[in-house]
Amino acid sequence: MKLFHESENKYYELLSYLVNEHKAFTDKEIIVCLDQRLGDSHDYDIEDSLFDHDPDKATIFTYENGEYRPVLEGRLPIRTNRIENQAFRSLADSPFARQFLSEKVIEKIRSSAAHIDSEWTPEDIRIKSQSAAGISSDEAVYQETLKTIIAAISSHHAIRYDNVLPGKYEFRDSVIFPVRIEYSFINDILRICAYSEEEDRFIKLNLTSMSNVSIMADTMDNLEDEYKEFLELNTKKVVLDVEPVGHVIERCFRIFSFYDRLARYDRENKKYTLEISYLKSDEAEVIRDILSLGGYVVVTEPRRIQKEVYKRIVQARERYR
Amino acid sequence: MIRDYENIRRILREIYIYGCFTKDDYIEMGFSGRKVDKEQQRIGVYLPDKFIKKRRINKKVIQYCRYNISDSTNNYLAETYRNKSFTMLDLLSYFYILQILGDGVERTLQEILEEMPFDNADVEFTKDNLRVKLDELLENQFLQTKRDDRNVRYQVADDIWEGFLDEELLELLTYLEFIKNVSPVEMPYYFLQRRLKLYLFSERKIRTDSKSPFQFKHNHIFNSLDNDILIECLSAIRAKYSLIIEKDVGKEAIAALPIKVIHDSTYGRQYLMFYNVGRQMINGVRIDHIKKVKIGEHFTKEEMDLVEVNLNFDDFCWNMSGINEDPQDVIVRFYFDEKKEEFILNRLIREGHNGTISKLKAGVYEYRISLRDPKEIIPWIRSFGERAQVISSGDFEIEKTIEEDWEKAVNKYEALSRI
């Protein structure tokens, strides 16, 4: 079974879309389609050979009277390949299935995939160092809540909800404009990122403490722009010097790999410098990860974090004296 | 286009994870200068400009990647898998055969051949090359066959989406948007989602270009670079076949009975746990250190038993290390203000790999766990800083390691004159 296969090639996909448009295309229309579907990742040699004006070099389309017409008139049936069939088969067994899919859809997947033999499954992967009691093992089902929130995000509508954690907090009939659903792989938690008009700021809520969620008529058209601005305004930077010890460098660069970062390697002095951009709300987590790397990593900027880390490692050392 | 994914795998991983190496650095790591030039240039073509960047430091060019959390559903590394090279015969046969059979009528090889267009002078379809291409499409499950008395008749494979309503397919599309980013084996879901979008456009006349509602934290997208190797390993596990594992050039191949794959969420490392036939012991190998795997033979009854017995061998490993050591007890004390720092206790419960937690007195908790290699837990303990103190760890004495480490860290910070 080959994952890296030509049937997944981006030009196969592009041609499939074009064939199933069931129409002829001008040169200009082809260029627009190529740009729309491939962005700035073009292979011009391939494109020249796929869309050749020479009638003896026709491929899926043939050029005639200033237009590309499909060589065959029939539609292209869209079918899943072996790898995709295996992925499809495994969808119903994922621990996330009930949080995103209705019982009916899960049942339809099982029924439709009944003839597909299991050739591999993610169930043979054991995930370690992931928080226990997260969403993937939660007995409760949030499918309807998630569905409402996803609909609100795509239409920029507000939602009304209750947010209650017994003994901790209780909010009733609150209103927010949700903008993203954030999933943390390590914490196995779904959080809702949203704009709160009442607090005039973006907030994050745990999905599991939300209830009675309903979509409202109010909309916020510039929500995406506001969120982008919020992310920019709340992005902080920390700079680390990393000792050139193989396993340390690897762990350090991997643990921070999901942040935007800039790295520098000074080959003469065998020194790595890593500048990490993070959201202000993630600062405690960044410091925690820096501490996890021990004496191999030193904060050089900003001074505020440098002092905090220093203070904590001095206290940590005292534990052993 | 890329002929062999192995050509770009390592260099792309270095660019994404580190993004700080010049051509000279790569040469020092063992890459050939020509390969670095060629692959860096090609990688620039495969990946979008907003993701792959170049900068100059001391007149030397460094290629690196950007990561934006609000754009985190776009795994641009996965795009490289959509650049497999193909021949004109591959392309034309895929489209022509599927289009010819698209009317739902079964056909024999001869009947398909008679309908094949001959518009491209460079490609001539013959019975022989068409049979090869039909076999490939069958193997890849795009087609299925029926046999009558004498002939094999080809038809398009069953449509797995046929019984779903439009809104159900859209529900699946959103689910795939999530799964393709959270599964430790991402690529098959990435491909499936793209195929579903194409299906919705082609068969249901639905265009789906809406922005993703998700964003992701702690995802290690670089693992997608090794998904082809990972799937070979998972296939062997499921089919109960042995594997021949080839690591770096010059290293001896390993005969292995694959048991399971372990995914470490903190650093995104993936390991294959296997029974090493040569050494007659349980071993682990990093998936990203495997260059090639070859499927061997079906397990014998004896091998099946060996795998079964060792199925939970990693239960006493924090991740994968120390797989052949005897477990040692690790005792750690945690100190925190129970009212203001309840999150520490929550972290212990959620992140402690089911170690036992007991309250010694107000603000002091004891955590115990049995591990084959207590060294593996050191980064996690250090992440609690002053709130954690290792009391004992058997022969490993990690308490000494941590004590020395904090001493080293303090000295380093104090060497910075500003502190």
Side-chain angles (χ1 to χ4, degrees):
Chain A
M1 192 180 335
K2 295 281 176 224
L3 181 69
F4 189 48
H5 192 267
E6 62 266 13
S7 63
E8 303 288 5
N9 186 290
K10 60 189 177 190
Y11 288 105
Y12 274 53
E13 183 189 83
L14 172 99
L15 289 166
S16 303
Y17 274 103
L18 294 178
V19 167
N20 283 342
E21 287 262 16
H22 305 294
K23 58 175 265 201
F25 298 89
T26 62
D27 278 300
K28 204 176 163 187
E29 285 172 327
I30 291 291
I31 290 168
V32 170
C33 286
L34 286 167
D35 287 344
Q36 277 177 349
R37 296 257 166 225
L38 306 176
D40 50 27
S41 309
H42 291 271
D43 186 321
Y44 294 108
D45 290 342
I46 295 272
E47 288 168 21
D48 287 346
S49 64
L50 290 178
F51 301 101
D52 202 314
H53 285 189
D54 182 346
D56 287 336
K57 303 262 182 189
T59 57
I60 309 305
F61 289 87
T62 185
Y63 194 73
E64 207 180 319
N65 302 326
E67 285 185 325
Y68 294 96
R69 294 180 182 283
V71 168
L72 287 175
E73 284 191 357
R75 70 183 189 94
L76 178 79
I78 305 304
R79 293 295 183 270
T80 40
N81 65 21
R82 193 177 201 113
I83 283 280
E84 294 158 0
N85 284 336
Q86 289 298 310
F88 175 72
R89 189 187 189 284
S90 70
L91 285 179
D93 299 324
S94 160
F96 297 105
R98 353 181 263 126
Q99 305 300 359
F100 287 92
L101 302 175
S102 61
E103 281 296 325
K104 198 174 162 192
V105 170
I106 292 173
E107 202 38 57
K108 279 191 181 182
I109 294 171
R110 291 219 164 92
S111 162
S112 179
H115 69 286
I116 302 168
D117 292 333
S118 175
E119 295 177 8
W120 57 264
T121 165
E123 287 168 45
D124 289 325
I125 302 175
R126 180 171 182 186
I127 296 175
K128 288 201 172 183
S129 298
Q130 189 179 43
S131 285
I135 191 80
S136 57
S137 56
D138 200 326
E139 291 289 312
V141 176
Y142 306 97
Q143 195 248 339
E144 280 302 323
T145 303
L146 274 171
K147 203 173 166 179
T148 307
I149 294 169
I150 289 166
I153 291 173
S154 65
S155 60
H156 299 165
H157 276 82
I159 54 166
R160 187 182 296 283
Y161 66 101
D162 295 337
N163 191 20
V164 180
L165 194 61
K168 299 279 177 195
Y169 50 78
E170 182 173 334
F171 299 98
R172 302 276 177 196
D173 281 334
S174 300
V175 175
I176 50 167
F177 289 90
V179 64
R180 290 283 191 285
I181 298 166
E182 179 181 280
Y183 179 72
S184 153
F185 191 86
I186 290 184
N187 299 321
D188 192 21
I189 284 177
L190 281 167
R191 287 197 178 100
I192 310 304
C193 309
Y195 177 72
S196 164
E197 231 169 14
E198 198 183 329
E199 296 180 48
D200 190 22
R201 67 186 180 102
F202 281 89
I203 57 172
K204 275 188 195 177
L205 301 100
N206 277 346
L207 172 77
T208 51
S209 60
M210 294 172 78
S211 59
N212 300 323
V213 177
S214 60
I215 202 157
M216 297 173 68
D218 311 38
T219 59
M220 185 171 164
D221 291 334
N222 61 345
L223 184 60
E224 278 293 331
D225 293 337
E226 291 283 331
Y227 186 56
K228 204 174 161 192
E229 194 183 332
F230 161 79
L231 292 177
E232 277 168 18
L233 289 173
N234 285 278
T235 296
K236 304 280 168 196
K237 281 183 181 163
V238 62
V239 182
L240 310 174
D241 270 0
V242 187
E243 211 173 290
V245 178
H247 70 95
V248 176
I249 298 159
E250 200 200 20
R251 278 195 286 118
C252 179
F253 277 75
R254 278 172 172 258
I255 206 168
F256 294 116
S257 68
F258 62 92
Y259 294 102
D260 196 21
R261 67 222 125 80
L262 273 181
R264 193 167 175 170
Y265 173 52
D266 177 350
R267 197 150 64 103
E268 268 176 34
N269 297 308
K270 299 274 178 213
K271 196 178 85 174
Y272 290 81
T273 307
L274 182 62
E275 179 188 294
I276 303 155
S277 299
Y278 62 92
L279 281 181
K280 203 174 160 186
S281 55
D282 291 333
E283 189 162 289
E285 188 182 315
V286 170
I287 290 174
R288 193 179 89 184
D289 289 340
I290 291 169
L291 286 170
S292 80
L293 296 159
Y296 296 100
V297 166
V298 173
V299 178
T300 56
E301 297 285 343
R303 188 156 162 71
R304 179 177 59 81
I305 296 185
Q306 188 187 55
K307 283 174 88 172
E308 184 179 340
V309 172
Y310 171 69
K311 192 179 114 194
R312 291 191 61 186
I313 59 171
V314 167
Q315 289 171 350
R317 181 185 63 174
E318 294 310 308
R319 289 274 176 220
Y320 294 91
R321 285 194 160 178
Chain B
M1 295 289 110
I2 310 165
R3 185 173 294 176
D4 183 353
Y5 200 74
E6 189 57 31
N7 286 337
I8 65 157
R9 195 193 312 277
R10 191 174 156 208
I11 199 159
L12 190 50
R13 189 187 298 122
E14 302 288 339
I15 290 171
Y16 180 76
I17 298 178
Y18 300 99
C20 59
F21 299 128
T22 62
K23 181 179 168 183
D24 291 344
D25 298 327
Y26 285 118
I27 291 170
E28 201 175 74
M29 287 178 210
F31 289 95
S32 84
R34 221 175 118 197
K35 183 179 165 65
V36 173
D37 286 338
K38 195 175 152 193
E39 296 309 335
Q40 283 201 327
Q41 190 191 3
R42 295 211 296 181
I43 284 165
V45 175
Y46 307 140
L47 298 170
D49 293 344
K50 65 175 174 180
F51 177 67
I52 191 96
K53 301 279 181 191
K54 271 183 189 170
R55 68 198 154 108
R56 282 179 186 274
I57 293 180
N58 299 334
K59 296 182 183 169
K60 296 194 173 169
V61 177
I62 291 172
Q63 217 171 8
Y64 67 105
C65 298
R66 300 305 303 254
Y67 186 90
N68 180 347
I69 193 161
S70 70
D71 187 28
S72 58
T73 51
N74 284 320
N75 178 353
Y76 295 110
L77 294 178
E79 273 297 301
T80 54
Y81 273 94
R82 303 208 311 129
N83 286 278
K84 172 76 171 83
S85 61
F86 56 86
T87 64
M88 205 43 89
L89 181 68
D90 293 332
L91 179 92
L92 298 187
S93 55
Y94 173 88
F95 279 88
Y96 290 167
I97 292 169
L98 284 171
Q99 279 184 275
I100 289 168
L101 295 172
D103 60 6
V105 178
E106 302 156 10
R107 289 169 174 81
T108 63
L109 186 151
Q110 184 59 39
E111 287 165 345
I112 295 170
L113 185 61
E114 282 164 15
E115 291 183 51
M116 291 296 264
F118 285 82
D119 291 40
N120 190 307
D122 296 336
V123 178
E124 187 184 352
F125 287 102
T126 64
K127 239 180 177 176
D128 288 342
N129 66 18
L130 185 59
R131 180 174 290 111
V132 170
K133 290 296 156 194
L134 284 166
D135 284 347
E136 285 175 8
L137 289 171
L138 267 176
E139 165 64 20
N140 220 350
Q141 299 180 346
F142 287 115
L143 300 182
Q144 55 194 8
T145 52
K146 275 188 178 173
R147 283 175 186 275
D148 57 21
D149 291 347
R150 290 172 138 209
N151 294 312
V152 176
R153 304 187 77 83
Y154 296 87
Q155 63 179 161
V156 175
D158 292 338
D159 173 3
I160 58 167
W161 314 111
E162 194 179 12
F164 291 82
L165 303 172
D166 291 352
E167 58 267 30
E168 291 171 339
L169 290 180
L170 292 170
E171 194 175 304
L172 268 170
L173 199 69
T174 306
Y175 178 48
L176 282 167
E177 180 73 18
F178 181 78
I179 288 291
K180 75 174 188 187
N181 282 289
V182 305
S183 172
V185 47
E186 307 96 327
M187 285 309 304
Y189 303 99
Y190 180 87
F191 287 150
L192 183 63
Q193 194 203 29
R194 293 203 77 98
R195 190 78 66 182
L196 179 54
K197 280 185 181 180
L198 175 60
Y199 179 88
L200 281 162
F201 171 82
S202 304
E203 310 281 343
R204 307 287 176 103
K205 311 292 172 223
I206 297 172
R207 288 177 193 265
T208 52
D209 293 320
S210 57
K211 197 166 171 54
S212 171
F214 301 110
Q215 68 183 31
F216 295 93
K217 265 183 85 177
H218 308 121
N219 54 341
H220 295 110
I221 65 170
F222 49 80
N223 278 323
S224 52
L225 300 175
D226 302 304
N227 270 192
D228 50 350
I229 302 277
L230 176 63
I231 285 176
E232 295 281 0
C233 295
L234 290 172
S235 302
I237 291 169
R238 191 85 330 208
K240 305 198 184 306
Y241 269 70
S242 63
L243 282 174
I244 305 296
I245 299 168
E246 289 178 26
K247 289 172 74 182
D248 290 331
V249 182
K251 286 194 177 172
E252 205 178 322
I254 305 165
L257 308 178
I259 299 173
K260 70 169 86 161
V261 169
I262 290 170
H263 179 99
D264 154 30
S265 308
T266 311
Y267 306 109
R269 292 168 175 157
Q270 295 181 327
Y271 305 85
L272 174 69
M273 186 174 112
F274 63 93
Y275 183 82
N276 188 322
V277 177
R279 291 185 180 175
Q280 299 192 346
M281 64 197 295
I282 298 293
N283 274 173
V285 60
R286 288 258 299 265
I287 298 282
D288 60 346
H289 289 180
I290 300 176
K291 215 170 166 65
K292 205 172 174 184
V293 286
K294 276 191 229 156
I295 303 282
E297 302 290 322
H298 195 275
F299 291 172
T300 61
K301 168 77 176 69
E302 194 186 15
E303 288 171 338
M304 205 92 86
D305 293 343
L306 264 175
V307 167
E308 192 63 35
V309 166
N310 291 301
L311 207 53
N312 297 316
F313 207 81
D314 63 310
D315 276 357
F316 291 100
C317 299
W318 188 256
N319 283 312
M320 185 72 202
S321 181
I323 206 137
N324 283 296
E325 307 289 338
D326 289 330
Q328 308 259 340
D329 284 339
V330 180
I331 304 171
V332 190
R333 277 198 193 141
F334 287 87
Y335 307 86
F336 55 93
D337 183 325
E338 286 173 80
K339 279 186 185 161
K340 291 181 189 162
E341 299 175 322
E342 195 190 0
F343 63 91
I344 299 292
L345 183 59
N346 289 337
R347 269 192 72 191
L348 280 180
I349 295 166
R350 288 188 286 108
E351 300 172 17
H353 290 216
N354 295 321
T356 56
I357 302 162
S358 49
K359 184 172 177 173
L360 298 184
K361 59 180 182 179
V364 184
Y365 283 73
E366 191 167 273
Y367 164 84
R368 285 170 180 261
I369 191 164
S370 230
L371 294 173
R372 292 189 191 277
D373 181 3
K375 292 197 296 298
E376 259 198 317
I377 201 178
I378 291 176
W380 183 67
I381 293 170
R382 279 196 305 228
S383 75
F384 288 91
E386 75 284 9
R387 296 185 182 105
Q389 179 193 9
V390 179
I391 302 300
S392 66
S393 56
D395 302 338
F396 284 83
E397 298 188 319
I398 63 167
E399 55 277 24
K400 279 193 181 165
T401 309
I402 294 177
E403 182 185 355
E404 285 165 12
D405 194 49
W406 288 138
E407 189 68 47
K408 176 182 164 178
V410 170
N411 290 339
K412 271 192 164 182
Y413 277 97
E414 288 180 347
L416 299 168
S417 55
R418 293 183 305 171
I419 291 282

